[in-house]
Structures are given as structure tokens and as C-alpha cells.
């Protein structure tokens, strides 16, 4: 009986470790496509959040500036789907950051942009920070 319990605990521990390892692998890259999470962040998320921040600080001056802002918000919205696709999502922290925070903030931002509502756009864009912080606190390795 004691031996069976030991094997059961060892098996449960191995399964837990495998699950954690699988989750860690998923945050680095999807299962079948070559895009890494770091590439997605560096190539899409960061440049577009920076563009949104810069545009909202300056205030869009014309229709072209509003259109550029809408493009950045739309690309961030699309990134929220990529973050969830291809087995990339390891847990609810990640899922909430991508779907509840990033996706919703970008939709709210697009609504404000459509109405050329600068204050509404600024309020909506504040949601991006919640998305980034929540996921990075849980998953991004801290520099030592």
C-alpha cells in the first residue's frame, strides 16, 4: 500500500512537471508555426503600442493620423488572436491578458478612433498596460 502511494505521488509529480514544461514551451512559440512569442512582441505588439502611445500624446492631426492609429489598434487586436492560437496560451493569466484586456482595449480604442474621440481613445489605450503587466508579471523572465 505504501509503495503504491509512493508511485502514485511520483507519477503525479512527473505529470505536474511535464505540464509546467509544456506551458513554458508554449509561451516561447506556438506548436506548428515558426513565429516565436518574442518575435510577435518585438515585431507587432511593441511597435504598435508605441505608435498608439505616440499618436495619443500628440493627438491625431488629420484623417491620415486617425487612420494610422486605427491600423495600430487593429494590429494589436489581431495580435490578441495570435497570442491565443497554435497552442501558445499556457494558462488563464495569459488568456485573460490576450482576450479580456488586449482584445477589449483594442476594440474600445477602435470605437473611440471611429468617433475621433481623443479622450475616449486615451482611456481605452490605458487597458493595454493592464494586459502587458498581467502577462509579463507571470511569464516574462526577469533580467538579473
Amino acid at each position: 500500500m505504501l509503495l503504491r502511494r509512493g508511485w502514485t505521488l511520483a507519477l503525479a509529480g512527473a505529470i505536474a512537471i511535464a505540464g509546467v514544461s509544456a506551458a513554458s514551451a508554449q509561451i516561447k512559440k506556438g506548436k506548428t508555426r515558426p513565429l516565436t512569442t518574442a518575435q510577435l512582441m518585438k515585431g507587432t505588439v511593441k511597435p504598435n503600442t508605441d505608435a498608439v502611445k505616440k499618436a495619443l500624446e500628440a493627438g491625431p492631426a488629420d484623417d491620415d493620423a486617425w487612420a494610422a492609429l486605427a491600423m495600430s489598434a487593429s494590429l494589436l487586436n489581431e495580435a490578441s488572436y495570435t497570442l491565443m492560437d497554435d497552442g501558445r496560451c499556457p494558462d488563464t493569466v495569459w488568456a485573460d491578458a490576450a482576450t479580456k484586456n488586449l482584445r477589449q482595449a483594442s476594440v474600445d480604442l477602435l470605437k473611440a478612433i471611429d468617433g475621433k474621440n481623443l479622450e475616449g481613445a486615451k482611456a481605452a489605450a490605458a487597458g493595454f498596460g493592464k494586459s502587458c503587466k498581467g502577462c509579463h508579471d507571470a511569464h516574462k523572465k526577469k533580467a538579473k
Side-chain angles (χ1 to χ4, degrees), residues 22-29 36-38 87-90 94 139-140:
S24 295
Q26 289 174 348
I27 65 171
K28 294 179 189 312
K29 184 177 176 183
T36 66
T37 303
R88 190 179 301 273
C89 175
W94 183 289
H139 295 291
K140 190 172 182 184

Side-chain angles (χ1 to χ4, degrees), residues 73 77 81 101-112 124 128:
N77 181 270
Y81 289 90
N101 299 334
L102 179 59
R103 192 171 299 165
Q104 189 60 53
S106 59
V107 166
D108 293 345
L109 177 56
L110 285 163
K111 287 178 186 173
F128 293 141

Side-chain angles (χ1 to χ4, degrees), residues 56 105 108-109 112 117-129:
L56 293 178
D108 293 345
L109 177 56
N117 176 353
L118 181 58
E119 292 310 311
K122 287 179 179 180
F128 293 141

